[in-house]
Amino acid sequence: MSAAGRWAAVPQVLCPLEASGRRAGGKWRRAPGGGSGCGCQCRTRRPGAASSCCCSSSCSSAASSGEDRKRRRSCFYHSTLNATSWNLLAEKVEQLMEWSSRRSVIRMNGDKFRRFVKAPPRNYSVIVMFTALQPQRQCSVCRQANEEYQVLANSWRYSSAFSNKLFFTIVDYDEGADVFQQLNMNSAPTFMHFPPKGKPKRADTFDLQRIGFAAEQLAKWIADRTDVHIRVFRPPNYSGTIALALLVSLVGGLLYLRRNNLEFIYNKTGWAMAALCVVFAMTSGQMWNHIRGPPYAHKNPQNGQVSYIHGSSQAQFVAESHIILLLNAAITMGMVLLNEAATSKGDVGKRRIICLVGLGLVVFFFSFLLSIFRSKYHGYPYSW
């Protein structure tokens, strides 16, 4: 068989359109003034119709020269590759858009992550939240971060600027543990941006420890990485207003009931105790617990041992903050007793006993507090 006969027997396909063509009105059209780079001038065809390629005379006419055969083979293979990539990309975008129409955040397992996020071709950005939302994981901060993530995704989904250039997804550890291993990820929650081309850079990982996980902060980070600006819309929340109204009503009712006897307002001891309670709560880390939502304690699944003190200086348990609060209160009580023993004018023996009790409280509980500090800040050289 001649060279022209062998070439005619090869099925012809659509020439590369990713660089020179576009899809419009359900047809594939050649962009104005463009060829495929191989000299092909492609006619239009409907997707799914028989493959055809109408090339210029320099490419479609039979010729016996080796240069023409090489050029034609190159045209064929590049046409096949680009057409396949384009069809695959269109299928991926169509599938993601379908999922986004059902819910703003797309749940992914390992297979979906590798196909839609990692594998090319891809002309869209993907924001992935790696988390652990199952109750047995006891990750309160994961649930709080997920609420903010849902607010951000809903704001994007229902905005007028919504397009197929950005998608929000989530990978739960219990559904995609292999993804965590693949990315060498050992903490949750974590937010990452996967750009349309290339691998994620260091800036594509959201600095949650420093910035927090508020939806507004996430939107600002996404705008820096993708040039997609999202205006965050939050549903109205009246819980704070209701709580404040109840507190004011309670205080007002108490004052009304005691309107004939308001001497307790001028009680210095009462105000001092209230101030100490606030100080103990703040110094023990109650505000950190409110923001981060750590678990009360940790139970080792292997040996069943329960830990009330976190081993890292970057985290704590709720039980740990309660222990610190009690230790600070005991040390303060010891200081109060020492001050009382030094300033009172009562019996000397009684004052001596008060002094010894106060000194014992300060020494014992401050030593206990210092040992906890050393267990969290490894390498601390001082002890008592």
Side-chain angles (χ1 to χ4, degrees):
M1 183 182 293
S2 64
R6 289 195 303 270
W7 175 251
V10 177
Q12 301 295 307
V13 298
L14 188 67
C15 292
L17 296 177
E18 186 173 11
S20 62
R22 59 189 177 188
R23 189 177 185 178
K27 297 181 178 181
W28 292 96
R29 303 182 183 277
R30 185 174 64 85
S36 63
C38 64
C40 297
Q41 305 293 326
C42 299
R43 294 174 178 166
T44 62
R45 72 172 176 87
R46 296 183 180 273
S51 300
S52 62
C53 178
C54 180
C55 301
S56 62
S57 58
S58 62
C59 183
S60 60
S61 61
S64 59
S65 64
E67 182 179 354
D68 287 343
R69 289 198 301 271
K70 291 180 181 179
R71 182 155 52 84
R72 289 173 180 175
R73 291 192 181 97
S74 177
C75 171
F76 169 73
Y77 288 118
H78 282 90
S79 300
T80 305
L81 178 62
N82 287 336
T84 303
S85 299
W86 181 266
N87 292 335
L88 178 59
L89 176 60
E91 291 177 1
K92 292 170 66 174
V93 172
E94 183 179 0
Q95 182 65 74
L96 289 171
M97 290 296 291
E98 180 183 352
W99 287 336
S100 296
S101 64
R102 299 176 183 175
R103 56 177 58 187
S104 301
V105 178
I106 304 171
R107 299 189 68 90
M108 288 193 168
N109 54 22
D111 295 335
K112 291 181 179 179
F113 176 81
R114 283 183 285 272
R115 179 185 176 190
F116 292 95
V117 179
K118 295 288 289 183
R122 194 175 72 248
N123 65 347
Y124 50 85
S125 294
V126 183
I127 305 298
V128 183
M129 176 184 178
F130 299 94
T131 185
L133 296 175
Q134 297 301 320
Q136 64 268 22
R137 301 300 175 185
Q138 299 182 353
C139 184
S140 300
V141 67
C142 293
R143 292 191 291 270
Q144 296 175 8
N146 182 60
E147 293 176 359
E148 293 293 312
Y149 192 58
Q150 294 287 345
V151 169
L152 178 61
N154 288 329
S155 300
W156 167 244
R157 174 65 184 84
Y158 297 106
S159 68
S160 58
F162 176 74
S163 67
N164 58 4
K165 296 301 181 183
L166 178 65
F167 296 98
F168 289 87
T169 66
I170 186 171
V171 177
D172 193 281
Y173 179 80
D174 293 280
E175 299 175 1
D178 53 337
V179 178
F180 280 74
Q181 296 175 359
Q182 180 182 353
L183 299 177
N184 295 324
M185 191 173 299
N186 54 12
S187 63
T190 300
F191 298 93
M192 288 188 65
H193 164 243
F194 290 85
K197 296 181 180 179
K199 296 181 179 180
K201 300 179 181 178
R202 183 176 182 180
D204 288 313
T205 300
F206 183 69
D207 191 354
L208 186 144
Q209 295 291 339
R210 184 176 62 88
I211 304 176
F213 48 75
E216 290 78 7
Q217 298 296 334
L218 287 169
K220 183 178 179 181
W221 168 67
I222 292 174
D224 293 338
R225 305 311 304 166
T226 65
D227 291 331
V228 174
H229 297 272
I230 304 175
R231 183 181 178 183
V232 178
F233 294 94
R234 291 184 178 274
N237 185 3
Y238 303 105
S239 59
T241 305
I242 295 175
L244 181 61
L246 290 176
L247 178 62
V248 172
S249 301
L250 180 62
V251 174
L254 179 62
L255 293 177
Y256 179 77
L257 294 175
R258 299 290 301 272
R259 61 186 181 277
N260 297 324
N261 184 12
L262 299 178
E263 294 181 359
F264 69 93
I265 298 179
Y266 304 99
N267 190 326
K268 296 181 180 179
T269 303
W271 285 109
M273 294 297 295
L276 283 175
C277 291
V278 174
V279 171
F280 292 153
M282 295 298 104
T283 56
S284 63
Q286 294 297 331
M287 186 58 66
W288 192 93
N289 294 340
H290 178 72
I291 296 174
R292 299 299 180 90
Y296 186 82
H298 174 71
K299 183 177 182 180
N300 193 322
Q302 297 179 355
N303 53 24
Q305 183 179 1
V306 180
S307 300
Y308 298 100
I309 306 296
H310 199 285
S312 172
S313 61
Q314 302 297 322
Q316 69 176 15
F317 299 131
V318 175
E320 179 180 341
S321 62
H322 293 167
I323 294 173
I324 299 300
L325 187 150
L326 294 177
L327 292 178
N328 288 334
I331 295 171
T332 303
M333 178 61 68
M335 297 299 296
V336 171
L337 292 178
L338 288 175
N339 181 72
E340 183 70 18
T343 57
S344 64
K345 298 180 181 180
D347 181 56
V348 176
K350 184 179 180 180
R351 291 169 58 189
R352 184 179 293 109
I353 294 175
I354 294 176
C355 179
L356 292 176
V357 172
L359 183 62
L361 289 175
V362 172
V363 172
F364 178 78
F365 288 105
F366 187 79
S367 176
F368 192 13
L369 184 66
L370 191 60
S371 65
I372 295 177
F373 183 83
R374 292 186 63 194
S375 68
K376 295 179 69 67
Y377 291 84
H378 304 285
Y380 186 73
Y382 305 106
S383 62
W384 191 357

